[in-house]
Amino acid sequence: YHQQYVEITVEAEKILSGLCHDGTDEGKAYAIAEWLMNNVSYPPDYKNRLEDNLGSVYTALSTREAICGGFASTFDFLSKKVGLDTICIDSNPPNKEGHVWNMICVDNIWYHIDVTWTDPSQPLRYFMISDEVCYSNHDQAEYYYNPLTLECVIPEAPLCSSYGSMCFGT
């Protein structure tokens, strides 16, 4: 795993050095989300590819394919590299396939970001949204975790009652 970590760190540096943003936390987060939206795909045959580890940062950055866990873990990894305070969230509902997304803390306020569902025609639809909007189409968050170790950190996600200013163009 050490060699994989070295490889993704080198790749992350290349990616991050090529991003354009305004230097704000929101700008950095949006640039990373946009890069993922434009460069990593969700393979339609993912259920037949369990051995490919499509939920990992390594796979997302080396093959440019990922499922939700890979998108969220990669967003978290790249975000932390530029100093953003992010976490991965897992819904893990009983008897259903779970979903993984991110939260970011900007100016002591938490927001949801779902890079997996980001659509180029509506790039801000799932960017820095509130609990109300997030949970209207996502299962309730059960826990968050460290995406590199997959260790559960806390049994409950932070509360989020606001939207990021980019959502309103301010």
Side-chain angles (χ1 to χ4, degrees):
Y1 288 109
H2 176 73
Q3 182 59 37
Q4 286 184 354
Y5 184 78
V6 170
E7 288 176 33
I8 64 173
T9 299
V10 169
E11 185 63 19
E13 289 171 9
K14 286 183 204 171
I15 292 164
L16 295 170
S17 68
L19 297 182
C20 295
H21 53 78
D22 61 7
T24 65
D25 287 352
E26 286 185 38
K28 292 174 191 176
Y30 183 77
I32 292 167
E34 184 177 48
W35 184 89
L36 285 164
M37 175 182 61
N38 292 326
N39 292 281
V40 178
S41 63
Y42 198 115
D45 62 342
Y46 72 95
K47 288 186 179 182
N48 299 324
R49 297 176 54 193
L50 297 176
E51 72 284 349
D52 290 345
N53 201 9
L54 292 165
S56 76
V57 176
Y58 180 78
T59 301
L61 294 182
S62 62
T63 69
R64 301 295 197 252
E65 290 185 310
I67 57 174
C68 60
F71 277 97
S73 295
T74 304
F75 179 84
D76 187 72
F77 181 74
L78 294 173
S79 294
K80 284 178 170 42
K81 290 279 184 196
V82 296
L84 300 177
D85 186 4
T86 58
I87 57 175
C88 290
I89 301 294
D90 193 327
S91 64
N92 198 27
N95 304 318
K96 285 176 62 177
E97 190 172 302
H99 184 55
V100 183
W101 65 95
N102 299 93
M103 289 184 81
I104 184 171
C105 187
V106 176
D107 295 327
N108 294 316
I109 300 172
W110 285 96
Y111 306 94
H112 296 272
I113 296 176
D114 190 338
V115 181
T116 307
W117 288 10
T118 301
D119 180 339
S121 68
Q122 296 178 311
L124 297 176
R125 184 170 180 194
Y126 298 107
F127 184 77
M128 295 187 74
I129 57 176
S130 69
D131 285 343
E132 179 184 5
V133 172
C134 182
Y135 298 144
S136 69
N137 49 38
H138 289 62
D139 290 300
Q140 188 79 22
E142 274 196 22
Y143 59 87
Y144 61 97
Y145 66 92
N146 178 326
L148 294 180
T149 65
L150 300 180
E151 176 186 350
C152 182
V153 178
I154 280 194
E156 188 175 305
L159 294 176
C160 169
S161 59
S162 298
Y163 299 90
S165 62
M166 287 183 75
C167 294
F168 299 107
T170 58

